[in-house]
Amino acid sequence: MRRSKRKTSGLQAVAVAAICILFVMTALIGLYKCFSKEPTPKPDLPRTPSEPAETEEALEPGAVSSKNSGSERKERFHTILLGGLDDENGGSDTNLLVAVDAKNGKIDVVSLPRDTLLDVSWPVKKLNNAYHHGGFTQTMAEVSRLLGIPVDHYVTVKLRGFEQLVDAIGGVDFDIPVDMDYDDDWQDLHIHFPAGPRHLNGEEALQVVRWRQNNDGSGYATADIGRIGTQQEFLKAVAKQALQLSNWDKIRPMAEIFQDCVDTDLELANLVWLGEQALTVGSENISFHTLPGDGAGYYKGGSYYVLYPEEALEMVNDCFNPYQRELTLDDLDILVP
């Protein structure tokens, strides 16, 4: 699979917090197990096949191509879109799509680059711009249309929740992959860590997952794709620790963080059920991916993350397709320059 360089915002860290919080919610199982309930997938909402996407009205969450309406779904397969919200500026700069395949005992997570090119009517056709044309409902609709699958539910998390969460679980042991030396006086951001294992508190963890390069230009060989890899490795470390939590006196602060920093259409019983699945699956069966594309792509003079259609289709069918049938390129809505 091809991978390329691209530029993204340091706000990718907030999406990491969304998954972290879902993992940590498993600690509630001990008290609320009797209320566990599997989520109910949303029905597919068909659109008129003759209408081009560029003139289409905002879709509802879960809406997909009309040819998929009524398609038989896999048993116990759920999709959840996780969004990271900028506390100060608003908007959803980062998004992760999670597929929970409870029947086969696996969870897949794909990072959706913020600059992903969409087939939409507004001038700036980037995924992160969807939020400004209808909030997270519009973001869900565009992800659904782009990949040809329903998005059953959503979870959004604010930036401040990241540090609070990591501190609530007592910090995280993490092997920092490269030397990090970066100073930005304007943001009052100072990141200085040698490569190697370290126990990170919340503030340090946020710095590590936000870092992209040093002041001298050195950094990941693959720029922000490398940063996504570090974020995914960090998630694995958090999952491993969170899924082994046995200190129940941490339940109250976790619940408070969840209430303050998270918005979701899932009920507590659904979150408990998801926690049970995470415990059953185990961190070794939680896989992380990046939507395949070209970060140096262009469309009508603008810089975009342009998807590789065939590779994106393969990933969707392998990990995120909730239907019994295989999807084709006609089911996806990928704009190719």
Side-chain angles (χ1 to χ4, degrees):
M1 184 177 295
R2 292 171 289 180
R3 307 182 107 182
S4 59
K5 297 182 179 181
R6 64 186 181 88
K7 296 182 179 179
T8 60
S9 165
L11 291 172
Q12 287 181 329
V14 296
V16 178
I19 291 186
C20 294
I21 288 177
L22 282 182
F23 288 146
V24 176
M25 285 299 293
T26 63
L28 293 171
I29 292 174
L31 294 182
Y32 297 105
K33 188 175 177 66
C34 60
F35 297 108
S36 174
K37 183 175 70 174
E38 184 170 355
T40 301
K42 294 178 180 177
D44 294 350
L45 303 176
R47 71 185 187 199
T48 305
S50 60
E51 280 189 286
E54 294 241 348
T55 61
E56 208 167 18
E57 296 295 328
L59 299 177
E60 293 295 325
V64 294
S65 172
S66 60
K67 66 187 68 178
N68 285 334
S69 180
S71 295
E72 185 177 359
R73 286 188 58 143
K74 299 173 183 176
E75 296 180 9
R76 309 184 72 199
F77 193 105
H78 306 273
T79 57
I80 305 166
L81 186 63
L82 308 180
L85 302 185
D86 182 353
D87 298 38
E88 298 179 354
N89 300 319
S92 174
D93 256 15
T94 55
N95 299 282
L96 301 171
L97 182 65
V98 179
V100 179
D101 186 352
K103 182 177 180 180
N104 294 307
K106 67 172 186 171
I107 296 174
D108 286 281
V109 184
V110 61
S111 298
L112 309 175
R114 66 190 294 272
D115 293 338
T116 298
L117 176 63
L118 299 178
D119 185 9
V120 292
S121 59
W122 52 78
V124 181
K125 304 177 186 297
K126 296 184 178 183
L127 177 59
N128 72 316
N129 198 247
Y131 188 90
H132 300 290
H133 290 266
F136 205 66
T137 294
Q138 189 69 38
T139 303
M140 294 172 66
E142 297 306 334
V143 170
S144 175
R145 179 163 57 187
L146 177 71
L147 302 181
I149 60 176
V151 176
D152 297 322
H153 299 284
Y154 74 88
V155 176
T156 62
V157 62
K158 298 176 183 177
L159 179 61
R160 65 176 179 271
F162 183 90
E163 291 188 28
Q164 295 175 10
L165 173 69
V166 173
D167 287 335
I169 62 175
V172 176
D173 293 325
F174 186 66
D175 192 359
I176 299 174
V178 295
D179 291 333
M180 299 181 176
D181 288 292
Y182 179 80
D183 291 287
D184 185 338
D185 293 333
W186 186 78
Q187 295 188 71
D188 193 25
L189 179 62
H190 306 280
I191 303 174
H192 299 283
F193 299 106
R198 183 185 179 99
H199 185 79
L200 301 172
N201 61 27
E203 180 180 4
E204 293 169 336
L206 181 59
Q207 292 177 355
V208 167
V209 298
R210 292 186 67 180
W211 181 88
R212 184 175 66 90
Q213 66 178 15
N214 296 319
N215 291 107
D216 64 5
S218 62
Y220 297 120
T222 52
D224 278 348
I225 295 298
R227 179 166 58 180
I228 287 177
T230 293
Q231 292 171 351
Q232 293 175 349
E233 289 301 317
F234 182 82
L235 278 174
K236 294 176 185 178
V238 171
K240 182 177 180 180
Q241 179 167 335
L243 296 179
Q244 295 175 350
L245 285 176
S246 59
N247 190 353
W248 299 110
D249 62 357
K250 296 179 180 177
I251 291 177
R252 181 179 296 276
M254 291 176 195
E256 291 175 350
I257 294 170
F258 192 87
Q259 183 177 15
D260 182 50
C261 299
V262 175
D263 180 42
T264 179
D265 62 347
L266 290 163
E267 301 174 2
L268 175 61
N270 300 146
L271 292 169
V272 172
W273 182 86
L274 289 169
E276 291 178 304
Q277 304 315 305
L279 283 172
T280 301
V281 167
S283 59
E284 67 277 5
N285 291 315
I286 301 175
S287 302
F288 296 87
H289 316 268
T290 300
L291 200 60
D294 180 7
Y298 283 89
Y299 178 76
K300 294 185 176 180
S303 176
Y304 290 91
Y305 188 89
V306 179
L307 298 188
Y308 301 142
E310 292 82 5
E311 294 178 17
L313 174 65
E314 182 181 4
M315 176 177 290
V316 170
N317 275 322
D318 287 347
C319 305
F320 301 95
N321 180 8
Y323 298 116
Q324 294 284 1
R325 73 175 184 88
E326 289 277 298
L327 298 180
T328 68
L329 284 176
D330 288 338
D331 295 305
L332 281 63
D333 193 1
I334 296 177
L335 180 60
V336 179

